[in-house]
Amino acid sequence: MIDRSELEKFLIKFRQEMHRFPELSNQEFNTTEKIRNVLEKNGIDCLDTGLKTGLCANIKGDHPGKTIALRADIDALPILEQSGVSYASEYPGVMHACGHDLHTSVLLGAAILLQEQKSNLHGEVKILFQAAEETGVGAKAVLESGSLNEVEAIFGFHNDPSLPVGTLGTKSGALTAAVDRFEIQIKARGAHAAKPHEGRDPMLVIAQIIQAFQPLVSREITPDSHAVVSITQVHSGSTWNVIPEQAMLEGTVRTFSRENRTYIEARIRTILDSLARLHEVEIELLWYGNCPSVFNDERLTTLSLTCAKEVMTETKIVKETAIGEDFAYYQEQIPGSFVMIGSGGPYELHDPRFRVDDAMISQAVDYFVLLAKTYLAPTS
């Protein structure tokens, strides 16, 4: 019988060690081996996925049944840590500023307990430690590997610093946003700043692009759509007395429905084509479609909340959030439910001061163990 107190101490130690040595997306080689070592020491089989980083473990119950997956992400971010914790990153400019070290430790704990209880387990649980979530390509690589071909339902979570420790929040339907990135290249005609009529000023085009994009959200889609269009970079010119030849803008679109995602991209293209003709310049749009919206299955989300009420301090229905999460790719092929579990704050995700409260680990482990056992329990 596993000593729960000792397990909790181990998981906290593992998380803090993982925090000290973070690895960026698709570079999680040491992280993968550390996870593998823990799994194998506990008699848990690791599958051959063919992926260079990340891994998938399999816990096969002693009784036949369905197959589910539990997923955690393992990569870090290119951020210089300013958290002040004693176990801060030893790799300058790389940090677990999104809590993937916490996610990994929680599912390691769940895997260890499920393995211990496999004599009473019906079916199989795949524990997925996914690489490259931050770049939006990790989930697609897992799906392409075929590792989840037999999975009937998939469950995942993200820590939420805005929720107190012990609180689990989720909702059916859209929970996170679809994420798209755009880059706009403007090719105009330079001139002396004293003779603007001899050129085609890209600065004027920039100004009109920024103005034209704002009504996309405020006037063209319904107020309850919660879409976001943000221009985050503008670059042009090199000196004070020359009208430049070129300009670049970059930004992001966040949407919660396929209809709005398609509509906004189409409208951006129309706006840019019109402005190019109006100002007699060339405008090129580079559109980088990223992950879709996490869209929770209603039945599985009801199950998630039911299980959470037994082991968490509080459960709540939360509002959708405009962050991106590549768990959404799994849900395009497999029914799934994704939840947010409070990590205590005070700093938001991707903040260089971000830190989590390790007290949340134990309840989160219990939640996933109960969730897996409940879903797999045979029906009469």
Side-chain angles (χ1 to χ4, degrees):
M1 179 69 69
I2 292 175
D3 184 303
R4 286 303 305 273
S5 176
E6 291 302 313
L7 177 61
E8 183 176 7
K9 290 177 183 177
F10 168 77
L11 295 175
I12 291 173
K13 182 179 178 180
F14 183 92
R15 185 196 76 79
Q16 294 181 359
E17 184 75 2
M18 187 173 167
H19 191 92
R20 286 178 60 211
F21 302 104
E23 294 178 300
L24 296 174
S25 301
N26 285 326
Q27 299 177 30
E28 313 96 329
F29 297 102
N30 291 330
T31 300
T32 298
E33 286 310 301
K34 289 175 183 177
I35 296 168
R36 186 188 304 276
N37 289 339
V38 173
L39 293 169
E40 291 179 345
K41 284 181 181 179
N42 285 275
I44 300 171
D45 293 331
C46 296
L47 305 176
D48 181 10
T49 65
L51 300 172
K52 65 178 184 177
T53 56
L55 57 86
C56 185
N58 191 52
I59 299 168
K60 188 172 183 178
D62 288 355
H63 307 279
K66 296 172 283 191
T67 301
I68 66 167
L70 308 179
R71 176 270 204 172
D73 35 19
I74 68 173
D75 53 329
L77 285 159
I79 291 175
L80 181 64
E81 182 159 3
Q82 300 174 29
S83 68
V85 298
S86 60
Y87 48 88
S89 171
E90 296 191 15
Y91 299 154
V94 184
M95 177 193 176
H96 272 295
C98 205
H100 294 184
D101 50 345
L102 180 69
H103 303 168
T104 299
S105 299
V106 167
L107 282 203
L108 264 181
I112 291 169
L113 290 180
L114 286 168
Q115 175 70 7
E116 183 193 36
Q117 301 170 33
K118 73 186 187 74
S119 62
N120 297 317
L121 194 66
H122 294 256
E124 299 182 29
V125 183
K126 292 189 175 183
I127 311 289
L128 174 61
F129 297 94
Q130 180 207 304
E133 187 278 333
E134 293 293 355
T135 56
V137 300
K140 289 191 289 186
V142 171
L143 289 167
E144 290 167 1
S145 76
S147 302
L148 304 182
N149 284 353
E150 298 176 359
V151 170
E152 299 175 33
I154 186 167
F155 300 91
F157 85 107
H158 205 291
N159 79 91
D160 187 341
S162 71
L163 294 176
V165 170
T167 299
L168 181 147
T170 190
K171 66 183 288 290
S172 297
L175 180 65
T176 70
V179 177
D180 295 302
R181 177 170 72 91
F182 60 82
E183 182 178 330
I184 301 168
Q185 300 284 352
I186 302 170
K187 295 180 181 179
R189 188 165 73 239
H192 194 293
K195 300 179 180 180
H197 60 286
E198 295 181 357
R200 290 290 181 265
D201 190 349
M203 299 297 187
L204 181 59
V205 182
I206 289 172
Q208 294 200 358
I209 288 173
I210 293 172
Q211 285 188 314
F213 280 13
Q214 299 314 303
L216 291 174
V217 172
S218 64
R219 291 295 181 270
E220 296 193 28
I221 61 176
T222 59
D224 59 352
S225 294
H226 303 156
V228 175
V229 178
S230 293
I231 292 175
T232 55
Q233 287 195 71
V234 177
H235 299 281
S236 186
S238 59
T239 190
W240 67 279
N241 61 351
V242 175
I243 291 175
E245 291 184 335
Q246 299 181 341
M248 186 276 278
L249 299 86
E250 189 173 35
T252 184
V253 175
R254 309 292 172 110
T255 50
F256 294 91
S257 71
R258 292 180 181 177
E259 294 78 12
N260 283 338
R261 190 181 196 186
T262 300
Y263 177 82
I264 289 177
E265 180 185 354
R267 286 290 291 135
I268 284 176
R269 293 186 183 279
T270 299
I271 289 167
L272 296 179
D273 287 345
S274 298
L275 289 175
R277 291 194 299 271
L278 177 65
H279 293 282
E280 298 181 328
V281 298
E282 295 180 25
I283 301 179
E284 180 184 10
L285 173 65
L286 303 175
W287 191 271
Y288 304 98
N290 206 305
C291 59
S293 170
V294 165
F295 199 89
N296 280 339
D297 179 89
E298 183 175 2
R299 179 179 65 88
L300 298 181
T301 302
T302 299
L303 175 66
S304 297
L305 287 167
T306 298
C307 291
K309 288 175 182 177
E310 294 192 33
V311 295
M312 304 298 292
T313 306
E314 181 183 0
T315 62
K316 63 190 301 183
I317 304 299
V318 296
K319 294 182 179 179
E320 59 265 37
T321 173
I323 65 170
E325 169 56 63
D326 80 350
F327 186 85
Y329 286 118
Y330 299 123
Q331 291 176 308
E332 289 191 321
Q333 298 187 27
I334 306 166
S337 180
F338 194 82
V339 302
M340 312 299 288
I341 300 180
S343 54
Y347 301 108
E348 282 298 321
L349 305 174
H350 296 206
D351 190 305
R353 299 166 295 176
F354 176 79
R355 58 179 182 264
V356 301
D357 188 338
D358 286 319
M360 66 85 67
I361 291 177
S362 183
Q363 280 183 304
V365 168
D366 288 341
Y367 162 72
F368 279 106
V369 170
L370 179 60
L371 181 63
K373 291 167 62 178
T374 302
Y375 183 91
L376 294 175
T379 56
S380 56

